[in-house]
Structures are given as C-alpha cells and as structure tokens.
Amino acid sequence: MGNIYEKTNSKNKVFCHINRKTKKGYYLIFEQKNRRNSQYNYCEKIHLIGFEKLPSGFYTNDGLGLTASGFLLLQELFAKCSKKLELTVVSSGKAKLYTRSNPAKVQIPHSALSTLNSRIRTIRKIRNDESRAAVRRFLFTQLSTQFSEYRSVTPEYTPGVIADVLRKKGLFTKLNLDDRTKVEEFIPEYLSRVQGTLRAKDKLKVIFESLDAGKKIYLEKIVKEFKQKLARSAQNEALWQDFLSEHILVLRNTYGQVLEKESVTLQGKFPDFLLIDPYNYLDIYEIKKPGTNLLKHDKSRNNYYWDVELTKAISQVENYLHQIQRNSDTLVNDIRKAKGIEIGIVRPRGYIIAGLRKQLTSVKMQDDFRILNESLKNIDVLLYDDLLSSLESFIKRIGS
C-alpha cells in the first residue's frame, strides 16, 4: 500500500487524492451539465484533513460531491455567502465560516456531517415509506382483486423518528389534541414494555421517575383548579359536587371507587355519591360550599357550637347513615345489579366537606371545632383547605 490514495471516475479522471502520510487531500466535484442539482454550481473543491482514505458521506465513483444532505447544505451556504465555496472536511475540529475570502471558506467536522446525513436519510426513508404505503393503499381501494395483499398496508416506524421529534424546539406548545391523545396512550404502554428486573435498578428507576413525574403534573393541575374555584366570589354547591365527585379519589386516596346515586338508581334518601374503600366497605360524603359557616359563639358560656347550616348537614348525614343501615340488603343488591360489585355495610362513616380553616380565627375556635368534630358519632367534618393542603403535601413528597 503506497502513500497516495486516489479514486477516478469512468473517464479515468482523478476526483479524490489523499496523502496517507500527511492525512491531507482533496475531492473534486465535477461539472454535471445536464443536472439541475449539480453541487458544482456551489463548490468545486473539498479539502480533506485527517483522513487516510475517502471518508463516508461522499459519492465514491463519479465526483458528484457529498451524499444525502450535500446539495441542500452547499446551497444554503452559497446563499449565505453569495459566492462559491471552498469546503474543508476535518476528522476533528469545529465548524468555521469565512465569507470575506473568494471563494468563501467553510470548515465542517466529519462527525457532524455524518449526523446530519443520518437524519436526512431517516427523513427520506419516512417519506418514501409513506409514499409507497399511500400508493399501495390506493391500488387496493381501486383494484382490490388484483392487489388484495395490500389490504392492511400501513407505513412502519422508522428508528430515530421519535428522537428527532423530541429534539424540536417549541414541541409542547404546538401539540394539538390528536398529538396529546396519542402521547397519553403511548406512555403507559411504553412503560409497561420496558424490560427490567429488580437487578436492573436503573431501568426501574426510570419507570418510577416517569410515573412520578406524570402523577405530579396531573395532581398540580387539580391543585390549580381547586385554588381557582376557592378564589371565586360566588360559590355554587352543584359545581363543587361535580368537581369533588371527579377528584375525590385523589383528595381522599384511601378509597378505590366512587358510586354516584344516579349510576345505581338507588331507591330512597341517599347522598349524592358513596365511596368504597379497598376492602369494599362503604362510606358516604355530603358536599356543602366552602363558604358554609362552621361555628357560632355562645357569649354567655364563651363556647362555640355548630352553625345552623352545618347542624342541618350533620342531621342529614345522620339520617343517610340510618337509612343505609336500615336498608342495607336492598342497597347491596342495587349496587350488585348496577355495578357488579359486592360491598359491605358495616358501621359506615359519613363525611361532610364544608367551610374553610381560615374561619377558625382563634385558638379557642380551633380547639372547640376539634372537640365538636370528635364528639360526632361516625361523622367527620372535613374542611376544603385541609383537603387542598393534604394534596399539596403529597405532591411535595413525590418531588423529594
């Protein structure tokens, strides 16, 4: 093997010359008079530094120039410089551009050029695959007898496409509804398919961190909506019933399922929704507004007692609990028929969500609220901002 490396075209003209000893050489781009996209229009000579033979990314038998991205790359550089180029491809180094010289001088590292070419080939393959699939689907729809083998033709996934998409700036701001739906469907399935064992801790860590990140985003959206609703001057009990019915399993995460009264066609007086815990025991929830007054002050005894509206709510929940226990067999059958769930009714508890802790403006009020709450039989009063604080604390634990 000599010190000189050369390549010639079909007319025996040398288009590549490299001195293996100095690792320097050149590549000539020949004029192609009958080709509109000839790279010769933008660059006639490419210098090579750091190579013993022609590196990848060049046409190897005819002096046409750079493969894949070549024409577009030289066209863009030519447009920027408004003059022909003298390109240098280096085995190591940084990209450089000098526009004052004539021709303009450009230096590009070979590794970066290879990466660009790989992306261009991926894009072209996707387009070719999709075009071919479109033609085959067309042939099946128009000539189904002759092209029955194309009945289920769809373009296959090309490796690297997702990585290219995720690199794009402004991705999240430009997703449409269809994009978001497909991503939400993709993530759980992807995580379920990640192969990992207890020994492969790194892989499992990625799964858990991904799940936690998704859970945190979802919970933060609930917190944001919760705060927006609390900040409204006008409060609507029905809207809070809808919101809490949708998110109660997050706010009270010891339960596994919500049963709304309408969904099981219960006969008699029952609350708007019932909750079932992991052991299939049933509790009831009554929803009042955040602005519901909690306590009244007895000046003569300097004690606080339940406000009238909350007293009515407590009485109502007591009645619900009585009805549930009295008609437990009927209720169990109704739920079994409607939902196919076997529930247990053993000392169900009632919860009233009403009011805000900020109403308890003194230590005395806070103490009396606790005493009154604990004195109730099988009933608890839950405050809106306590539910919110509990959820925010849970989110912090996820992020820590």
Side-chain angles (χ1 to χ4, degrees):
M1 181 184 294
N3 287 334
I4 302 300
Y5 170 94
E6 287 188 338
K7 292 191 74 69
T8 59
N9 66 2
S10 57
K11 295 180 180 180
N12 208 32
K13 286 186 177 181
V14 175
F15 64 87
C16 178
H17 176 95
I18 298 174
N19 186 320
R20 287 195 174 99
K21 191 173 183 180
T22 62
K23 295 185 179 181
K24 293 182 179 181
Y26 61 82
Y27 180 103
L28 299 177
I29 302 177
F30 294 146
E31 185 176 8
Q32 307 290 326
K33 294 182 179 180
N34 297 324
R35 291 187 59 166
R36 292 178 58 189
N37 59 347
S38 174
Q39 296 180 30
Y40 177 86
N41 298 328
Y42 310 121
C43 178
E44 298 180 19
K45 187 175 185 179
I46 301 175
H47 295 280
L48 302 170
I49 298 177
F51 305 98
E52 294 184 358
K53 62 179 182 178
L54 183 64
S56 61
F58 290 80
Y59 287 103
T60 59
N61 56 6
D62 45 18
L64 291 177
L66 300 169
T67 61
S69 63
F71 180 79
L72 291 175
L73 176 62
L74 295 177
Q75 187 181 53
E76 289 294 324
L77 287 168
F78 179 85
K80 170 61 68 174
C81 301
S82 299
K83 63 182 74 171
K84 274 200 170 184
L85 311 166
E86 189 173 285
L87 177 63
T88 299
V89 175
V90 294
S91 61
S92 62
K94 296 181 179 180
K96 299 176 183 179
L97 174 61
Y98 303 98
T99 59
R100 293 183 179 179
S101 60
N102 194 11
K105 296 183 183 295
V106 185
Q107 176 175 295
I108 295 177
H110 181 254
S111 58
L113 182 62
S114 297
T115 301
L116 174 61
N117 285 341
S118 177
R119 294 187 66 182
I120 294 296
R121 291 189 186 99
T122 298
I123 293 169
R124 288 178 180 172
K125 186 177 187 308
I126 294 168
R127 289 178 178 172
N128 289 338
D129 289 347
E130 290 180 348
S131 298
R132 184 176 290 105
V135 169
R136 289 178 174 178
R137 286 195 298 269
F138 170 81
L139 289 172
F140 171 74
T141 59
Q142 301 300 313
L143 302 165
S144 57
T145 303
Q146 293 90 338
F147 292 93
S148 59
E149 69 271 26
Y150 295 155
R151 180 185 300 275
S152 58
V153 167
T154 55
E156 294 183 354
Y157 174 72
T158 303
V161 172
I162 291 177
D164 279 343
V165 170
L166 295 178
R167 290 189 189 101
K168 294 182 178 179
K169 292 184 178 180
L171 173 67
F172 294 105
T173 61
K174 295 182 179 179
L175 295 177
N176 62 19
L177 180 60
D178 188 40
D179 292 329
R180 295 178 191 280
T181 300
K182 291 302 179 184
V183 169
E184 289 165 5
E185 291 173 354
F186 171 80
I187 290 174
E189 184 174 354
Y190 166 74
L191 292 175
S192 70
R193 290 171 181 262
V194 173
Q195 295 181 352
T197 65
L198 291 177
R199 294 179 180 178
K201 293 181 180 179
D202 289 343
K203 286 186 177 179
L204 290 176
K205 184 180 179 183
V206 170
I207 294 176
F208 293 140
E209 288 178 351
S210 299
L211 291 171
D212 284 345
K215 186 189 298 182
K216 185 177 180 183
I217 291 169
Y218 171 67
L219 296 179
E220 285 174 343
K221 288 182 178 179
I222 296 176
V223 166
K224 183 179 179 180
E225 187 176 353
F226 202 147
K227 288 181 176 180
Q228 289 173 343
K229 288 183 180 297
L230 285 178
R232 291 175 184 170
S233 55
Q235 298 288 338
N236 184 298
E237 193 170 295
L239 291 178
W240 276 109
Q241 287 174 348
D242 291 340
F243 175 78
L244 291 174
S245 178
E246 182 178 356
H247 300 301
I248 193 66
L249 295 181
V250 174
L251 297 165
R252 301 284 286 168
N253 56 22
T254 55
Y255 293 97
Q257 188 163 352
V258 178
L259 291 179
E260 296 185 46
K261 180 177 178 180
E262 292 77 5
S263 71
V264 288
T265 61
L266 301 176
Q267 303 299 318
K269 293 183 178 180
F270 295 103
D272 290 322
F273 58 91
L274 315 160
L275 269 67
I276 300 174
D277 71 15
Y279 306 102
N280 284 358
Y281 290 111
L282 179 143
D283 290 332
I284 70 171
Y285 277 72
E286 180 69 12
I287 309 301
K288 297 300 178 183
K289 292 185 290 187
T292 301
N293 289 325
L294 298 173
L295 303 176
K296 286 280 190 179
H297 186 227
D298 182 351
K299 293 182 180 179
S300 62
R301 294 180 174 82
N302 192 29
N303 285 327
Y304 289 90
Y305 58 94
W306 293 123
D307 191 272
V308 174
E309 190 173 355
L310 201 54
T311 300
K312 290 180 181 179
I314 293 169
S315 177
Q316 189 175 26
V317 171
E318 287 174 340
N319 183 54
Y320 288 149
L321 292 172
H322 174 71
Q323 290 293 331
I324 285 172
Q325 290 177 311
R326 183 179 177 184
N327 302 289
S328 60
D329 291 342
T330 302
L331 179 57
V332 168
N333 287 331
D334 284 345
I335 293 174
R336 183 191 298 123
K337 289 177 182 178
K339 296 293 183 181
I341 302 172
E342 294 290 342
I343 68 162
I345 299 178
V346 179
R347 298 190 69 180
R349 293 194 63 81
Y351 295 90
I352 302 168
I353 301 177
L356 296 164
R357 184 161 291 277
K358 68 180 183 180
Q359 294 181 33
L360 309 176
T361 55
S362 66
V363 175
K364 175 64 175 171
M365 288 186 75
Q366 294 170 10
D367 291 344
D368 284 3
F369 173 80
R370 184 181 180 118
I371 292 168
L372 289 168
N373 209 2
E374 290 181 351
S375 68
L376 296 173
K377 185 180 180 181
N378 295 327
I379 296 175
D380 283 311
V381 178
L382 305 175
L383 305 179
Y384 275 87
D385 40 2
D386 283 356
L387 289 176
L388 180 60
S389 296
S390 177
L391 181 57
E392 288 179 316
S393 297
F394 179 66
I395 293 172
K396 288 180 181 179
R397 290 198 298 275
I398 293 176
S400 61

